[in-house]
Each structure stands twice: as structure tokens, then as C-alpha cells.
Amino acid sequence: MDILIRKELTEEYYKTEKVVKKAFLNEEYSDKKEHQLVNRIRKLDAFIPELSLLAIDQDNEIVGHILLSKITIVNDDKTVESLALAPVSVIPEHQKKGIGSQLIHAALKKAKEIGYHSVIVLGHKDFYPKFGFKQARLWNIQAPFDVPDEVFMAIELTENSLKNVQGVVHYSNAFSE
Ligand SMILES: CC(C)(COP(=O)(O)OP(=O)(O)OC[C@H]1O[C@@H](n2cnc3c(N)ncnc32)[C@H](O)[C@@H]1OP(=O)(O)O)[C@@H](O)C(=O)NCCC(=O)NCCS
């Protein structure tokens, strides 16, 4: 499906959140509150407007959204900046048409362009490896909560950027409310 991917504008925040809510409506494991997560992230330092991207269809409607926000990976007194990919949303009637994949590719590209070196995701174990994500455990990067190894993944945006990085991921407060 032909879509345009571009940065979200401030005046689109509310519309985007409605799209996020709609995207998760049929998801069994979802708490149906992902749109509130997006809203909370926007209010924090963790928010990077350049990494809040929209998929726009030919009628100029928002059909998908992705957000990458700041996190840290902490090991004793060493803290490394990284990004969390969460959430990515495509409205149900346009899922499985490649839009989610395009949003992920675009967001990873942009994150690299603006100087980030890695991204962490908690998500479908068969979906994210298509973009190069691998189990975070390979670098000894752990989630701050109990989660199966295969769903907690990381990607290096620049070569060997996680080589000497290990520790526990610290999410922004938006994730714990
Ligand atoms: C998860 C989600 C973002 C993926 O977006 P999407 O646009 O449906 O994803 P894509 O179409 O790019 O890829 C999904 C599948 O469709 C396949 N696909 C891609 N392009 C396709 C096309 N043109 N025609 C048919 N299938 C296609 C992909 O290969 C992929 O296959 P898989 O099911 O074997 O992994 C979307 O389904 C969604 O919003 N789900 C609800 C919210 C959610 O769970 N978000 C993720 C957790 S944060």
C-alpha cells in the first residue's frame, strides 16, 4: 500500500493517539492503554519529536504511528543512552500490508541519522528479527522486569555499538505509570 512516512506535527497529537488506541483494540495481550503511554512519553525529556513518525495514506489520513524514546542501559556506574521502540501501531484495517515494517525501517534510519546507536524492543519474537533485532541477552542487556529472552531484543544502529555495553534497561517514568 502506498503511504507517506513523515514526522508527526504537534497539532496531530490527539489524532495520533486515537490511531494508537484503535490499533491495539483487537490485541489480546494489550492493556488497551498504549495511547496513554504515548501521551505520557510526550511530556517527558525522553520524547524526541523527530522519532515520532506517522504513516499517511493517500486520503491524507493517519493510518500508523511509531515512537522511539530515550532510555538508558545501566551497569553499576556506567550509563549508556539508547532508545525504546514502543509502541508501533497500524489501524486494524491496514495491518499486514507492510506499513508497520515501513515505519520501523524509517524510524531506525532516522534514529541513526540523528546520532543514536542502538534500539531496544519488547515485542513479537518473529517480527522484529526481520529488521535485525536480536535477543538483548546476547549483549547481556536485561529488562527491568521478568520477560522471556526471545521477546526482549536489541539492534545496533552503528557497528559494534553494543559491544562493550551491558546492564539493565531503565525506561522513562512514562512506562511505569
Ligand atoms: C504489529 C504491527 C505494528 C505490524 O504492522 P503491520 O503493518 O501489520 O506489519 P507488516 O504488514 O509490515 O508486517 C506484518 C506481517 O505482514 C506481512 N506483510 C508485509 N507486507 C505485506 C503485504 N503487502 N501483503 C501481505 N502481507 C504482508 C509481513 O511479512 C509480516 O508477516 P508476519 O506476520 O509473518 O510477521 C500491527 O499489526 C499493529 O499495529 N498491531 C497492533 C498493535 C501491536 O501489536 N503493536 C506491536 C507491539 S508494540
Side-chain angles (χ1 to χ4, degrees):
M1 184 174 152
D2 268 353
I3 49 147
L4 168 77
I5 294 185
R6 64 156 171 82
K7 186 183 150 184
E8 177 193 41
L9 308 172
T10 319
E11 57 268 31
E12 291 170 316
Y13 284 2
Y14 180 64
K15 258 192 189 171
T16 301
E17 286 163 32
K18 287 214 296 201
V19 165
V20 174
K21 187 174 182 187
K22 211 172 155 193
F24 280 89
L25 278 182
N26 305 326
E27 287 300 321
E28 220 175 283
Y29 62 84
S30 150
D31 63 3
K32 314 284 184 270
K33 289 182 178 167
E34 289 79 4
H35 59 295
Q36 294 174 13
L37 171 66
V38 171
N39 183 280
R40 288 195 300 272
I41 292 172
R42 293 190 204 288
K43 295 175 180 152
L44 301 179
D45 219 30
F47 182 57
I48 307 161
E50 290 80 6
L51 297 180
S52 187
L53 302 181
L54 300 179
I56 309 285
D57 73 4
Q58 284 170 334
D59 299 326
N60 223 11
E61 296 294 331
I62 302 170
V63 293
H65 170 250
I66 189 167
L67 183 58
L68 304 190
S69 60
K70 290 183 213 169
I71 52 164
T72 52
I73 304 167
V74 181
N75 184 30
D76 295 329
D77 54 357
K78 194 176 167 212
T79 298
V80 173
E81 267 218 331
S82 184
L83 296 168
L85 189 171
V88 52
S89 316
V90 175
I91 55 170
E93 52 269 47
H94 287 312
Q95 288 173 6
K96 293 204 182 285
K97 294 179 181 174
I99 297 172
S101 299
Q102 288 187 61
L103 280 166
I104 293 167
H105 280 301
L108 296 178
K109 183 166 176 259
K110 189 72 196 172
K112 185 175 176 179
E113 264 170 37
I114 63 175
Y116 287 90
H117 298 287
S118 63
V119 179
I120 304 285
V121 71
L122 171 63
H124 301 293
K125 68 173 176 37
D126 300 322
F127 187 53
Y128 293 98
K130 294 179 185 181
F131 310 95
F133 283 90
K134 296 178 187 158
Q135 292 186 20
R137 171 181 72 89
L138 291 173
W139 293 279
N140 234 335
I141 295 170
Q142 295 136 26
F145 35 72
D146 262 350
V147 66
D149 282 345
E150 61 268 27
V151 299
F152 195 66
M153 293 168 266
I155 186 170
E156 294 178 324
L157 299 177
T158 51
E159 213 182 334
N160 292 328
S161 61
L162 291 174
K163 196 175 169 195
N164 296 312
V165 177
Q166 55 175 313
V168 178
V169 169
H170 285 222
Y171 287 94
S172 65
N173 290 339
F175 285 84
S176 47
E177 277 173 50

